Amino acid sequence: MINKSVIMDEAAIRRALTRIAHEIIERNKGVEDCIIVGIKTRGIYLAQRLVERIELIENVKVPVGELDITFYRDDLQHKSEDAVLQGSQLPDQITGKTVILVDDVLYTGRTVRAALDALIDNGRPRMIQLAVLVDRGHRELPIRPDFVGKNVPTSRTEIVDVQLAEVDVMDIVSIRQLL
């Protein structure tokens, strides 16, 4: 793969997350009965950043959770024979709550479908909303995000690479072309 272009730097990621935080507050008329859940791996860090921003804006700490979808994926046989379940850590009760599911990139929708299955196995939320940093299109399932940091039209031969400081040393989103 070759690096094609940077589409979001650290400041753009920060601005996008701040905007998404405001949109979450506005759409839900506050954050009462909301839970923010990040899909492992990078969705967790984005969820934590959203919680921090919402706390600064609303002075309310929203419960945050982590969702491991490893065994809910429909492509598990194609991934790794040694898939490791890292485990989900959800707030005590998601039943009756508004769950904002957070991921880094929305592509085919299959990751989100797996996350929905995993969430439903843990309770019955009143509502599930989806927040993504990047929506790159090419959906294979009827899934649409409620909150988007940036829409990036891509070809199927491109990869959107999200790097976050918590795992990758720096914050940057770039598009790479498959060779």
Side-chain angles (χ1 to χ4, degrees):
M1 287 186 284
I2 56 172
N3 199 2
K4 188 173 180 184
S5 63
V6 172
I7 57 173
M8 294 177 85
D9 60 11
E10 182 180 354
I13 292 170
R14 187 175 49 254
R15 284 190 302 270
L17 291 174
T18 299
R19 182 175 37 79
I20 289 171
H22 281 282
E23 290 173 0
I24 288 169
I25 294 165
E26 184 176 338
R27 174 155 316 157
N28 293 292
K29 296 174 178 55
V31 288
E32 186 176 327
D33 289 329
C34 287
I35 297 171
I36 297 182
V37 176
I39 300 173
K40 290 195 177 206
T41 296
R42 284 167 185 78
I44 293 168
Y45 303 112
L46 295 171
Q48 290 167 347
R49 291 181 188 191
L50 284 171
V51 166
E52 291 168 4
R53 281 166 178 75
I54 290 170
E55 187 173 7
L56 287 172
I57 299 163
E58 290 288 293
N59 202 27
V60 174
K61 180 91 170 156
V62 179
V64 65
E66 302 177 1
L67 193 62
D68 186 348
I69 62 162
T70 302
F71 294 124
Y72 289 89
R73 297 185 61 94
D74 62 2
D75 63 349
L76 188 59
Q77 68 275 13
H78 298 121
K79 284 286 184 186
S80 168
E81 305 224 352
D82 302 320
V84 176
L85 181 66
Q86 297 171 333
S88 296
Q89 296 175 356
L90 296 175
D92 291 338
Q93 184 64 262
I94 66 168
T95 298
K97 306 285 186 181
T98 297
V99 175
I100 295 110
L101 193 59
V102 181
D103 203 7
D104 55 352
V105 178
L106 178 58
Y107 182 33
T108 62
R110 294 186 179 281
T111 297
V112 173
R113 190 230 21 104
L116 292 171
D117 288 347
L119 272 177
I120 299 302
D121 279 355
N122 285 282
R124 189 178 189 285
R126 182 178 66 76
M127 178 186 305
I128 300 173
Q129 299 172 346
L130 177 61
V132 296
L133 183 61
V134 177
D135 182 353
R136 64 170 289 188
H138 303 288
R139 221 75 76 238
E140 294 174 4
L141 300 171
I143 291 174
R144 180 182 52 85
D146 298 282
F147 312 103
V148 178
K150 187 171 185 79
N151 286 294
V152 180
T154 62
S155 75
R156 291 190 182 273
T157 62
E158 294 174 314
I159 292 177
V160 175
D161 183 26
V162 175
Q163 296 179 16
L164 299 176
E166 294 88 342
V167 218
D168 307 300
V169 183
M170 64 179 173
D171 288 349
I172 194 166
V173 180
S174 58
I175 296 179
R176 298 178 188 271
Q177 180 70 45
L178 290 173
L179 294 178

